[in-house]
Amino acid sequence: MKSEDAAPEEARGETKRFRAKRDAILAAAADVINDQSAKGMTFADVAQRVGLNTTSVTYYFKRKEDLAAAAFEVTLDRLDAMLDEAHREATPEARVARYLSINMERLARIHRGEEKALAILSDLRAMEGEVKAALLKRWQQIFRKTRALWGEGGTRAETDLRGGRAHVLLENTFWLPAWITRYELDEYPRVESRLMDVFRHGIATPGDRWTPDLLDLTHDEGEPGREAFLLAATRLINELGYRGASVQKIASELNVTKGSFYHHLDAKDELVIECYKRSFDLIADAQRLAEEGPGDHWRKLTSIIATLLDVQFSERGPLLRTTALSGLPPIARMALIDRSNRIARRYAGMLSDGIAEGSIRAIDPLVASQTMMSLQNAAFDMRKWASTMPRERAVAFYASTIVFGLFDDRVLEFS
């Protein structure tokens, strides 16, 4: 009898056993990508998770890049199928609700151990060449299909607003795994209901208007050039991922030598930690300034949102995306996650105070705070979108997705 690895029909993926093993390898690759990034993934890591040797993995995927690309394709295929199912509903609201429900059902299966997590698409940016181009083309198709949940045609402003809504919806479902594990499995339906409530109606009370104040986040620079250095590093890490943004690329971006890099920081991990500290400090400063300033909590919260989106869309930005966390040592990663959680809790506290005073609609503040975290974290990816319109309009359109919900068009007054 021929061995499995020698059978040509299996090499063509024509047997259940071949497909099952290939699927197991792809699931393991997704786990490694989510833990260590696509650049950090090795055949040995993947092989260990499925009980194979490295040679067996290379039989299915000749190059590490092929394996990573295939894992991303699985995610894109699943997203495509989810959106197809959502599109069967009759209205935008019903389509979004169905898309969210499908995602919650999937996370419940993962929680029960019935399904493996998908590869996080944010690390797709670390891919290179034709492989990256092909994956980005697929991603653009997914984005357009998501945008079409709200319909097609209409004015340019309506298309722009749908684009912001599509991005916020996708990013919130990508962000869900980061915080849903804080809830018991039997609470998932309630979380889904509370999240969909924010998607439907936002945090605004009836009659609220978008009139935020931009907060002054300027501060004295402690070491000359350090802020520019951290800013350039943040941009590259956001664009290329933790492992894709090499020290050489960061130095080249600033037109300095690698030696200059080590003048500022001792190691790349320290660089990422400092970039996170800069980003978290900006967010915390915005929260503090808003709380110390005038107005009710509606004014305070919308001012924080507007200010941070303005940072993300301007040359002052961006803030470092949470995706870089996967490249850090566990102790440093946990410390930064703790800081992120404190920021989310502060949002939740402000939302609770706003509900108590009547300036914020009665929503679940813990769930709503996570939508705010997702909003500020993901906005970097919409810089190109934002550059096609006046900054104030881009900020208002993107913020409206959580402030007024995904189906309220009052923000079109800015068009």
Side-chain angles (χ1 to χ4, degrees):
M1 181 177 177
K2 291 183 179 179
S3 70
E4 176 191 330
D5 287 359
E9 69 273 15
E10 291 184 334
R12 293 194 300 270
E14 294 178 358
T15 71
K16 289 182 180 179
R17 190 174 180 185
F18 179 93
R19 287 193 297 271
K21 190 167 289 187
R22 185 178 186 275
D23 289 346
I25 291 170
L26 287 170
D31 282 344
V32 176
I33 288 170
N34 296 347
D35 287 345
Q36 303 175 24
S37 80
K39 284 275 187 182
M41 180 182 70
T42 67
F43 279 139
D45 292 329
V46 175
Q48 184 178 20
R49 295 190 185 217
V50 287
L52 296 173
N53 57 44
T54 302
T55 304
S56 296
V57 176
T58 58
Y59 171 73
Y60 293 84
F61 298 95
K62 300 302 180 188
R63 300 183 309 148
K64 185 179 78 168
E65 292 75 12
D66 297 334
L67 175 54
F72 289 131
E73 285 282 0
V74 170
T75 303
L76 291 165
D77 288 344
R78 287 291 300 279
L79 281 171
D80 212 6
M82 291 178 198
L83 288 165
D84 281 342
E85 185 172 339
H87 269 282
R88 297 191 189 110
E89 302 294 336
T91 66
E93 188 174 318
R95 292 172 201 140
V96 170
R98 183 65 192 127
Y99 174 75
L100 176 59
S101 179
I102 295 167
N103 275 277
M104 291 297 295
E105 289 164 4
R106 180 178 62 85
L107 291 172
R109 290 194 298 273
I110 292 170
H111 184 111
R112 291 192 296 264
E114 299 168 359
E115 185 175 323
K116 300 290 285 183
L118 299 171
I120 297 171
L121 287 179
S122 54
D123 211 40
L124 186 154
R125 69 192 78 234
M127 305 297 286
E128 297 177 352
E130 293 181 2
V131 172
K132 181 176 182 178
L135 289 168
L136 286 176
K137 185 176 180 180
R138 284 280 324 270
W139 166 248
Q140 289 163 0
Q141 292 168 349
I142 293 292
F143 181 83
R144 285 193 290 270
K145 186 176 283 191
T146 309
R147 187 176 63 190
L149 292 173
W150 286 267
E152 298 183 89
T155 66
R156 172 61 188 272
E158 288 170 333
T159 301
D160 286 340
L161 180 55
R162 290 172 191 153
R165 289 170 173 173
H167 192 252
V168 168
L169 175 62
L170 287 166
E171 288 295 330
N172 266 280
T173 50
F174 296 160
W175 182 243
L176 262 171
W179 59 273
I180 192 64
T181 52
R182 298 171 197 170
Y183 294 86
E184 295 292 343
L185 183 60
D186 62 357
E187 290 186 282
Y188 280 25
R190 187 184 68 80
V191 173
E192 178 184 338
S193 174
R194 299 299 186 268
L195 182 54
M196 190 61 206
D197 178 53
V198 176
F199 286 165
R200 281 194 181 96
H201 305 296
I203 64 172
T205 58
D208 278 329
R209 286 291 176 264
W210 177 252
T211 56
D213 301 311
L214 288 186
L215 305 167
D216 183 6
L217 297 181
T218 57
H219 59 277
D220 294 332
E221 190 172 341
E223 180 182 339
R226 185 179 179 85
E227 180 73 10
F229 190 88
L230 293 176
L231 188 57
T234 298
R235 285 177 184 151
L236 276 177
I237 294 167
N238 279 356
E239 289 169 1
L240 303 175
Y242 170 78
R243 295 184 186 271
S246 65
V247 171
Q248 184 62 57
K249 285 179 180 175
I250 295 167
S252 297
E253 177 81 1
L254 282 169
N255 198 27
V256 299
T257 64
K258 287 177 71 174
S260 297
F261 168 90
Y262 291 110
H263 167 72
H264 287 282
L265 299 156
D266 293 331
K268 188 174 174 184
D269 286 350
E270 185 184 343
L271 169 66
V272 177
I273 291 167
E274 287 299 310
C275 287
Y276 267 119
K277 186 176 184 300
R278 171 190 168 274
S279 296
F280 287 149
D281 285 349
L282 279 172
I283 299 168
D285 283 349
Q287 291 177 321
R288 177 182 53 78
L289 287 169
E291 287 195 301
E292 292 173 354
D296 58 20
H297 280 81
W298 162 257
R299 182 175 177 181
K300 295 176 190 294
L301 285 160
T302 53
S303 295
I304 295 170
I305 293 169
T307 300
L308 294 177
L309 290 179
D310 188 71
V311 168
Q312 290 282 56
F313 294 154
S314 73
E315 291 308 307
R316 293 188 294 155
L319 304 173
L320 189 60
R321 291 210 60 170
T322 54
T323 49
L325 284 170
S326 61
L328 289 173
I331 294 176
R333 188 189 313 172
M334 288 309 301
L336 292 171
I337 289 172
D338 285 345
R339 181 84 191 274
S340 175
N341 288 338
R342 290 198 296 275
I343 287 169
R345 283 196 296 272
R346 191 165 188 172
Y347 277 137
M350 295 181 73
L351 287 163
S352 295
D353 290 344
I355 294 166
E357 74 183 6
S359 66
I360 298 295
R361 195 172 65 83
I363 41 97
D364 185 319
L366 291 173
V367 170
S369 71
Q370 293 299 336
T371 68
M372 295 175 69
M373 294 294 287
S374 174
L375 185 85
Q376 70 189 28
N377 180 52
F380 170 80
D381 291 335
M382 294 296 275
R383 286 162 70 90
K384 185 176 179 181
W385 169 87
S387 71
T388 64
M389 65 192 88
R391 176 89 52 74
E392 281 189 9
R393 183 192 300 174
V395 169
F397 277 18
Y398 201 72
S400 74
T401 57
I402 297 305
V403 170
F404 299 122
L406 296 174
F407 312 101
D408 187 310
D409 291 341
R410 77 184 79 175
V411 75
L412 288 171
E413 297 168 7
F414 281 82
S415 62

